[in-house]
């Protein structure tokens, strides 16, 4: 079982998205478990503050290192010692499918969700948090980012997906974006009366041709939308 601990100022946001659909089923089946640690329980002074003004000035507040350490120390010693510790931040290493695959093999993960301007850097360095970003944009807090990372990771754990083979061909598995999909009706008439057919090759039953068509579409799409990924694929082949 993947044992997950989340340090957050908003524990009520969990499991959130993670208790629905296939991932929710995995939660019920105890393929993973989530415990939240409320940062507010480890606040200081009579107001139980968890943040303070940034040294050097500037807007916003910063999560205090002593609060983060106290919250982390509330986690059982063995979990704290053995777990991967992640701080979600827009200034971290960009998350990708390869990293999710690595995380899916872990038994223990601890995630720190930031708020305000972020977390005192000393806490991250001293307590050993790896900094990960879910994309080049800024959210209000780390809770949704944590759910994005966890959903991507948990679906890769064996037994979670109904069709595990879908992982082999989906986007990023080969440094390619996935080919387009089509389903019934074979001819779809839209509300303006225009008719749209499914590519003929997909109805041919000729597996080799279907495979070739899908690969071509994948390559075409990747070259257009993500030329950076395509260059990566070519480099891998060399
Ligand atoms: N001042 C920070 C900066 O410019 O990099 C942004 C802080 S953001 C308003 C507050 C929190 O949201 C962060 O500490 C982080 O936990 C989370 N967050 C926001 N965007 C994120 C992203 N792209 N990836 C991961 N976490 C993010």
């Amino acid at each position: 079982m993947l044992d997950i601990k989340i340090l957050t100022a908003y524990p009520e946001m969990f499991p959130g998205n993670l208790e629905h659909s296939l991932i929710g089923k995995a939660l019920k089946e105890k393929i993973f478990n989530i415990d939240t640690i409320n940062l507010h329980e480890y606040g200081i002074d009579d107001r139980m503050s968890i943040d303070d003004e940034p040294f050097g000035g500037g807007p916003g507040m910063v999560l205090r290192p002593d609060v983060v350490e106290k919250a982390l120390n509330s986690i059982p010693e063995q979990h704290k010692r053995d777990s991967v510790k992640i701080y979600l931040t827009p200034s971290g290493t960009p998350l990708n499918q390869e990293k999710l695959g690595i995380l899916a093999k872990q038994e223990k993960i601890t995630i720190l969700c930031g708020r305000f301007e972020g977390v005192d850097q000393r806490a991250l360095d001293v307590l050993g948090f790896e900094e990960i970003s879910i994309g080049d944009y800024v959210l209000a807090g780390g809770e949704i980012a944590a759910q994005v990372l966890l959903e991507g990771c948990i679906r890769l754990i064996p037994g979670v997906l109904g069709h595990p083979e879908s992982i082999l061909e989906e986007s990023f598995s080969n440094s390619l974006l996935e080919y387009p999909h089509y389903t019934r009706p074979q001819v779809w008439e839209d509300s303006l009366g225009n008719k749209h057919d499914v590519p003929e090759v997909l109805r041919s039953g000729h597996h080799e041709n279907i495979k070739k068509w899908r690969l071509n579409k994948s390559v075409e799409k990747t070259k257009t939308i993500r030329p950076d990924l395509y260059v990566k694929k070519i480099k891998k082949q060399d």
Side-chain angles (χ1 to χ4, degrees), residues 87-90 113-118 132-135 137-142 145:
Y87 167 54
L88 288 157
T89 167
C113 302
R115 279 275 151 182
F116 326 116
E117 285 307 315
I132 295 183
S133 164
I134 64 153
Y137 43 82
V138 180
L139 303 171

Side-chain angles (χ1 to χ4, degrees), residues 14-15 56 62 64 86 93 112 117 132 145 151 173 176 196 216 221 230:
F14 291 90
V62 177
R64 294 176 56 111
I86 295 169
T93 305
L112 170 61
E117 285 307 315
I132 295 183
E151 180 167 319
S173 57
L176 286 177
H196 310 271
N216 283 339
K221 198 170 177 185
Y230 191 67

